[in-house]
């Protein structure tokens, strides 16, 4: 069983479209994250939820809206996609937001905006 | 604002010990230092975490000097399958997570 799964794995779309990426974890963790990895492989935190509550909201355009329907899911909706949104988006989870907790990452969603 | 600095790339022959150093001059008292490994087309995978001195697990060792302004990941006797990007992560408080730029390790036969 995959611990942290994301769908879709690949997403190719046109500028201006709206798209969603889904993430699910079956580890029983309370905390989930979204990261963006750019072409230079630099990983940057976007959002974090703990028990469905937003606890980290980095400087991200408000076209990006996370939603956590329950502790096991954290979805990312992106409005009016732009070329610069092309990247790999990783979902992750941890038992809690405490510093010593290990984060477990999903396989990533490769988004290409044309 | 980058919180950590690592070498961009390193090469090593199979069977050698590899040491990757990460600088974090502005580390705070409550920060933990975590290292992740990432293979192409996969998510990062946890390797090791420490706060001070030395930590060892079945995969690697982590050395942290007394001032904690740097840390060194040590991989004993690397194999070809250790070729990957290694990230130094500085967890600065509950609401700030900074990944370094990563070190691309290439293991040569």
């Amino acid at each position: 069983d995959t611990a942290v799964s994301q769908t879709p794995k690949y997403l190719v779309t046109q500028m201006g479209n709206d798209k969603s990426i889904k993430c699910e974890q079956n580890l029983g963790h309370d905390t989930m994250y979204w990261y963006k990895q750019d072409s230079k492989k630099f990983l940057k935190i976007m959002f974090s939820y703990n028990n469905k509550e937003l606890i980290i909201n980095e400087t991200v355009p408000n076209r990006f809206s996370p939603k956590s329907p329950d502790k096991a899911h954290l979805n990312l909706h992106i409005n009016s996609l732009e070329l610069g949104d092309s990247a790999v988006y990783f979902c992750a989870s941890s038992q809690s937001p405490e510093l010593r907790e290990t984060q477990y990452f999903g396989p990533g969603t490769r988004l290409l905006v044309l | 604002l980058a919180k950590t600095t690592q070498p961009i790339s390193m090469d090593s022959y199979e069977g050698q010990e590899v040491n990757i150093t990460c600088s974090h001059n502005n580390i705070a008292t409550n920060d933990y230092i975590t290292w992740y490994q990432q293979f192409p087309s996969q998510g990062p995978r946890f390797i090791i975490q420490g706060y001070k001195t030395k930590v060892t697990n079945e995969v690697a060792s982590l050395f942290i000097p007394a001032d904690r302004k740097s840390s060194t990941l040590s991989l004993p006797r690397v194999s070809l399958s250790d070729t990957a990007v290694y990230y130094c992560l500085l967890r600065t408080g509950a609401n700030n997570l900074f990944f370094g730029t990563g070190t691309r390790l290439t293991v040569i036969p």
Side-chain angles (χ1 to χ4, degrees):
Chain A
D1 282 343
T2 303
V4 181
S5 59
Q6 297 178 227
T7 53
K9 191 171 182 180
Y10 299 96
L11 185 53
V12 181
T13 187
Q14 299 284 337
M15 273 177 55
N17 284 348
D18 302 338
K19 291 293 179 184
S20 291
I21 307 172
K22 294 186 177 181
C23 178
E24 177 181 2
Q25 53 96 3
N26 62 7
L27 297 168
H29 288 167
D30 288 341
T31 310
M32 296 185 72
Y33 311 82
W34 276 110
Y35 286 86
K36 179 180 180 181
Q37 187 173 44
D38 60 25
S39 57
K40 294 182 180 178
K41 306 297 184 183
F42 187 71
L43 265 168
K44 190 173 180 182
I45 184 78
M46 299 174 69
F47 302 103
S48 176
Y49 273 71
N50 186 54
N51 281 322
K52 302 193 298 176
E53 303 256 335
L54 180 67
I55 59 171
I56 297 177
N57 186 0
E58 289 297 309
T59 307
V60 176
N62 56 16
R63 299 181 294 104
F64 291 79
S65 53
K67 277 191 179 170
S68 182
D70 54 60
K71 286 197 314 182
H73 297 84
L74 180 61
N75 304 323
L76 184 65
H77 188 75
I78 315 171
N79 289 325
S80 304
L81 277 156
E82 300 178 357
L83 294 177
D85 297 332
S86 295
V88 182
Y89 292 85
F90 286 103
C91 176
S93 74
S94 61
Q95 185 62 57
S96 79
E98 295 299 320
L99 296 181
R100 62 177 67 217
E101 292 294 340
T102 299
Q103 293 182 34
Y104 296 85
F105 283 80
T109 295
R110 284 141 191 86
L111 171 65
L112 178 60
V113 182
L114 303 175
Chain B
L1 179 64
K3 293 288 187 179
T4 62
T5 304
Q6 304 173 232
I8 293 175
S9 64
M10 294 180 71
D11 293 339
S12 175
Y13 287 101
E14 263 192 301
Q16 289 189 329
E17 178 185 81
V18 171
N19 296 308
I20 306 174
T21 297
C22 178
S23 297
H24 26 79
N25 291 320
N26 298 320
I27 190 168
T29 304
N30 295 331
D31 291 349
Y32 280 81
I33 301 154
T34 309
W35 285 80
Y36 279 82
Q37 176 192 56
Q38 186 177 25
F39 297 111
S41 301
Q42 293 185 27
R45 187 171 69 103
F46 173 83
I47 300 175
I48 197 167
Q49 178 172 278
Y51 182 79
K52 62 180 178 180
T53 62
K54 178 183 174 182
V55 179
T56 297
N57 61 22
E58 63 277 6
V59 177
S61 294
L62 179 60
F63 298 92
I64 305 170
D67 65 6
R68 305 204 320 128
K69 292 184 183 300
S70 66
S71 58
T72 299
L73 174 71
S74 181
L75 305 171
R77 296 193 301 279
V78 293
S79 63
L80 295 178
S81 63
D82 292 319
T83 293
V85 178
Y86 292 82
Y87 288 96
C88 170
L89 171 61
L90 190 63
R91 302 199 68 175
T92 308
N95 290 333
N96 290 290
L97 300 168
F98 295 98
F99 273 79
T101 53
T103 297
R104 181 175 298 278
L105 172 66
T106 302
V107 180
I108 306 164

